[in-house]
Amino acid sequence: MSKLIDASIPKFLLVGVGNTLLSAVIMFALEGLGYWPSTAIAYVAGAVMSFFLNRKFTFKSEEDFGRSAVKFALNVAVCYVLAYSIAQPAAGWILGRTGLSQQWIERLTKLGGMGLYTVLNYFGQRFFAFQKRT
C-alpha cells in the first residue's frame, strides 16, 4: 500500500500555484464579461492546466487519457461539493459567535472551503483520477 504522504505533494502544490496564477490573470483580463463568465472561464482554464500537469508531472499517470479525464472531472466536482458543503456549516458554527461581520465570515468560510478542497482534491487525484496501476 502506498504511503499517504509522498513526494507528489510539493509537485501538486507547485501546479496549484501555477493554476491559481493562470486563473487570476484570465479572470481579471476577462472581468468585462461579468463575474460568472470571467470566473467560469478562468476556473475551466485552471482545471485544464491542472489536469495535464498533474497527470504527467505530479502523478506520472499512464492511464488512458479519456478515462483519466473523466475521473479527474468527477473528482473535481465531488471535492468541490464536499468541501464547500462542509465548510459552510462548520464555519458558521465556529465563527458565528465571534462577532465578525457577515462579510468576513463568508470570506473565511471560502478560505476554509478552498483549503479543504485542496486536501480532498489531492487525495482524489492521487488515489482515484491518476491512480497507479499495481
Side-chain angles (χ1 to χ4, degrees):
M1 181 174 186
S2 299
K3 291 186 289 182
L4 200 55
I5 306 297
D6 71 3
S8 63
I9 291 176
K11 291 179 181 180
F12 182 82
L13 293 174
L14 182 62
V15 169
V17 168
N19 165 341
T20 300
L21 291 174
L22 173 69
S23 295
V25 166
I26 292 171
M27 189 181 315
F28 292 115
L30 299 178
E31 68 185 351
L33 297 177
Y35 178 80
W36 288 112
S38 65
T39 56
I41 292 167
Y43 185 83
V44 168
V48 169
M49 179 180 136
S50 179
F51 170 75
F52 284 105
L53 289 176
N54 282 326
R55 184 172 189 267
K56 289 297 180 190
F57 172 68
T58 305
F59 300 111
K60 297 176 180 26
S61 176
E62 296 177 14
E63 187 168 17
D64 175 71
F65 181 85
R67 181 173 166 82
S68 63
V70 169
K71 288 168 65 175
F72 177 86
L74 180 61
N75 175 67
V76 166
V78 168
C79 290
Y80 174 80
V81 169
L82 278 175
Y84 288 93
S85 294
I86 292 168
Q88 193 170 35
W93 182 74
I94 294 167
L95 300 171
R97 297 180 268 291
T98 62
L100 292 171
S101 71
Q102 189 59 37
Q103 184 180 27
W104 274 103
I105 291 174
E106 287 180 18
R107 287 176 179 163
L108 293 171
T109 300
K110 289 175 186 175
L111 284 174
M114 289 169 65
L116 185 55
Y117 172 83
T118 299
V119 171
L120 293 172
N121 190 32
Y122 169 75
F123 288 109
Q125 285 189 40
R126 181 170 169 205
F127 295 111
F128 175 67
F130 303 124
Q131 180 180 14
K132 292 193 189 308
R133 296 178 188 176
T134 54

